[in-house]
Amino acid sequence: MSNITSTSVTSTEEQTRPDQVPFWSALKLWFKLGFIGFGGPAAQISLLHRELVEQRRWISERRFLHALNYCMLLPGPEGQQLATYMGWLMHRTKGGIAAGVLFVLPSLFFLIALSWLYIAYGHVPLIAGLFYGIKPAITAVVVHAVHRIGSRALKNNLMWAIAAASFVAIFAMNVPFPVIVATAALIGYLGGRYIPDKFTVGGGHGQANKSYGPALIDDDTPTPEHAQFRWSGLTKILAVGAVLWCVPMAVLTLRFGWDHTLTQMGWFFTKAALVTFGGAYAVLPYIYQGAIGHYNWLTPTQMIDGLALGEANPGPLIMVVAFVGFVGAYVQAIFGPDLQFLAGATAAVLVTWFTFLPSFIFILAGGPLVESTHGNLKFTAPLSGITAAVVGVILNLAAFFAYHVLWPTGFSGTFDWIAALMAIVAAIALVGYKRNVMHVIAASAAIGLILKTSFNI
């Protein structure tokens, strides 16, 4: 994750502490962030920092980073989890739910509409041209993710060895992603006990060293009453979470059967939400391994196109799961040939529910524990091992994308040197010149459109 930087306030003593924030004022901000949260997790966390810490001073830098470190420990989308945490800290459970839901709701509606346009009109030259340009850029984006996470996590030879082993395991041996995560966590646990100096480098966010003026929730602000840990509160959250998972899963099983597409999507994306440590790019290998290799819900090309739509959409990148659900249910026409859109939209909503429900439980249940340990929360050795393994897994994803983009008809077919050149240029722009992801994708899409429509490439 890139460091959050900004100019500190020079005369903090002249500023007054912000007034209490009404719930409806916070609600407007969460709604706004749901529409402008482009650019992936790094950009979304920076956006939250700018809005909450720098401009509004609703929370101090140290408290913000403390919450962020906890969210980085969790599987799932850290940007959405951080928004949920902030909403919960300020306005109890209703604030956390509102912040988390509004952070993803616009993205869900956009992706349902874009998925339908893609699956219904993707063969139209205009759309085909756009995707021709976007696909090489997406390959470069994944390579950029490998570089960004690797530069943070691979600080010694042992971490490099874990990353290399995870790449070989998933690329050459097709080892399931959860097995790789569990093995890396075990190595990290043992390493933390016997060689701790090798396992203290995982991607934390360090300590706060900036001040933007007195904050509503400042470094020394007592923990709010609702954020204090109680066993009764933890039990209640876990019980409610279990009901919210069990009821829709039971309805799907009783109505359609365990082997039905919708039921299996609910089960598969629940597992994805629980095992995908390392952010959005870590979930993608697990999804393509299951959705493509096991369930055949979509093709490799569609998976790449779905990631392109996810990158061009506000909200967490993990929202690509809505695309996977929509396409899988639409193509299989699970409600019949006349209700394909309904099938796709239903699947998109269901997989979003099962993917994000664990994130809310993690925050609402774990938040009080985190608030009782300000300034003491550290990354564990198992997380360091997992982060290193994720680098190798994402490298495999980059190889997977490169193969399908550069050899669209397989190794026996023609090598697409134009796509290769576009991918190289996009990678240089991202890694070498640190250009914005959205700008690179937009430029690539425009080039692809020109090549397809004007030169018929």
Side-chain angles (χ1 to χ4, degrees), residues 278-298:
Y281 288 101
V283 75
L284 298 174
Y286 182 77
I287 291 176
Y288 90 71
Q289 201 175 46
I292 297 173
H294 181 71
Y295 291 105
N296 297 312
W297 288 330
L298 70 173

Side-chain angles (χ1 to χ4, degrees), residues 169-191:
I170 196 168
F171 179 82
M173 304 170 65
N174 202 32
V175 176
F177 182 77
V179 174
I180 294 175
V181 169
T183 303
L186 177 60
I187 293 172
Y189 171 75
L190 296 174

Side-chain angles (χ1 to χ4, degrees), residues 76-77 266 269-270 272-273 283 318 321 350-359:
F269 285 105
T270 297
V283 75
I318 199 175
V321 300
L350 278 175
V351 302
T352 301
W353 173 268
F354 285 110
T355 300
F356 283 93
L357 178 62
S359 289

Side-chain angles (χ1 to χ4, degrees), residues 95-171:
I97 293 174
V101 169
L102 292 178
F103 201 78
V104 302
L105 197 60
S107 179
L108 174 61
F109 287 124
F110 288 147
L111 268 179
I112 288 176
L114 291 173
S115 299
W116 175 73
L117 289 172
Y118 167 80
I119 202 68
Y121 301 102
H123 61 282
V124 174
L126 174 65
I127 304 299
L130 291 173
F131 277 99
Y132 178 77
I134 289 174
K135 290 175 187 177
I138 290 300
T139 303
V141 167
V142 180
V143 171
H144 181 226
V146 175
H147 175 267
R148 188 178 67 246
I149 298 173
S151 63
R152 184 182 74 234
L154 308 183
K155 298 297 186 181
N156 57 55
N157 291 337
L158 182 56
M159 293 298 172
W160 277 95
I162 293 174
S166 71
F167 174 77
V168 171
I170 196 168
F171 179 82

Side-chain angles (χ1 to χ4, degrees), residues 327-349:
V327 172
Y330 186 101
V331 171
Q332 294 185 15
I334 59 174
F335 294 160
D338 296 329
L339 297 174
Q340 286 179 284
F341 177 82
L342 177 62
T346 301
V349 172

Side-chain angles (χ1 to χ4, degrees), residues 14 43-44 60 78 86 95 146 161 170 199 202 223 242 276 299 302 341 359-360 398 400 421 432 439:
E14 297 179 1
Q44 289 157 7
S60 71
E78 59 266 35
M86 296 293 102
V146 175
I170 196 168
F199 285 86
T223 301
T276 48
T299 67
Q302 289 171 337
F341 177 82
S359 289
F360 285 97
F400 168 83
L421 181 61
H439 296 167

